[in-house]
């Protein structure tokens, strides 16, 4: 279920970008996916059982780069779960706030959903290489959001 929380916004972002000239659909999808994310994280929170010292809840692990001992390894503990829930709530607030924005809503919704996926993945990652992948992708997403829609002197973000 944790992988669904990570991959749902990413899939929605790709779908939004695939639909041509669907500004209204992008807005609706952004709010709906963000609301589903809040609901999914609430389910995670409600079903959370303390795994004990050094344990992880909702742990998933798949072989990824076996030559270096890296894997797709995600899970949550008592610290990362509240951060994931908070991330979902903040992105829902962003989606609601963004509802009336007129400047390229399709691109903005896709970028914010991409950023949500990378942020949740960042908090759930239990493998160092996976953590750095999500971290670097979140920087890329923030760069494009700031460069495209930042206020004031957003030029330094492009350098």
């Amino acid at each position: 279920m944790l992988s669904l929380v990570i991959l749902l916004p990413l899939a929605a972002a790709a779908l939004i970008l695939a639909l041509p000239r669907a500004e209204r659909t992008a807005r609706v999808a952004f709010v709906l996916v963000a609301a589903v994310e809040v609901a999914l994280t609430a389910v995670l929170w409600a079903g959370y059982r303390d795994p004990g010292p050094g344990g992880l809840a909702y742990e998933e692990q798949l072989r990824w780069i076996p030559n270096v001992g890296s894997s797709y390894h995600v899970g949550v503990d008592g610290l990362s779960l509240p951060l994931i829930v908070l991330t979902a709530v903040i992105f829902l607030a962003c989606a609601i706030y963004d509802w009336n924005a007129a400047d390229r809503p399709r691109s903005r919704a896709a970028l914010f959903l991409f950023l949500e996926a990378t942020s949740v993945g960042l908090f759930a990652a239990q493998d160092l290489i996976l953590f750095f992948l999500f971290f670097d992708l979140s920087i890329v997403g923030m760069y494009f959001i700031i460069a495209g829609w930042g206020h004031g002197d957003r030029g330094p973000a492009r350098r």
Side-chain angles (χ1 to χ4, degrees), residues 6 12 15 25 56 95 104-105 113 150 155 158:
I6 296 169
L15 185 64
T25 305
L56 294 169
R104 300 176 314 233
L113 287 169
R158 293 186 218 157

Side-chain angles (χ1 to χ4, degrees), residues 80-144:
S80 60
L81 183 58
L83 294 172
I84 290 171
V85 172
L86 183 61
T87 300
V89 169
I90 288 172
F91 276 95
L92 177 59
C94 289
I96 292 168
Y97 178 80
D98 193 53
W99 184 262
N100 291 322
D103 185 25
R104 300 176 314 233
R106 203 170 120 247
S107 300
R108 184 169 34 222
L111 277 170
F112 268 97
L113 287 169
F114 173 79
L115 187 60
E116 181 175 11
T118 60
S119 298
V120 171
L122 183 67
F123 292 130
Q126 299 299 316
D127 181 85
L128 189 60
I129 293 176
L130 185 63
F131 173 83
F132 279 119
L133 177 71
F134 281 126
F135 180 76
D136 290 341
L137 288 174
S138 70
I139 292 171
V140 171
M142 278 307 299
Y143 168 81
F144 285 110

Side-chain angles (χ1 to χ4, degrees), residues 10 17 41 43 57 66 68 73 75 79 85 98 101 144:
L10 195 60
L17 289 177
T41 58
V43 169
V68 296
H73 187 194
L79 180 62
V85 172
D98 193 53
F144 285 110

Side-chain angles (χ1 to χ4, degrees), residues 38-71:
V38 169
L40 288 173
T41 58
V43 169
L44 288 176
W45 186 290
Y48 179 77
R49 301 293 172 259
D50 185 13
L56 294 169
Y58 305 110
E59 186 174 16
E60 299 174 25
Q61 187 168 12
L62 297 168
R63 290 175 53 123
W64 184 30
I65 310 173
N67 292 342
V68 296
S70 183
S71 62

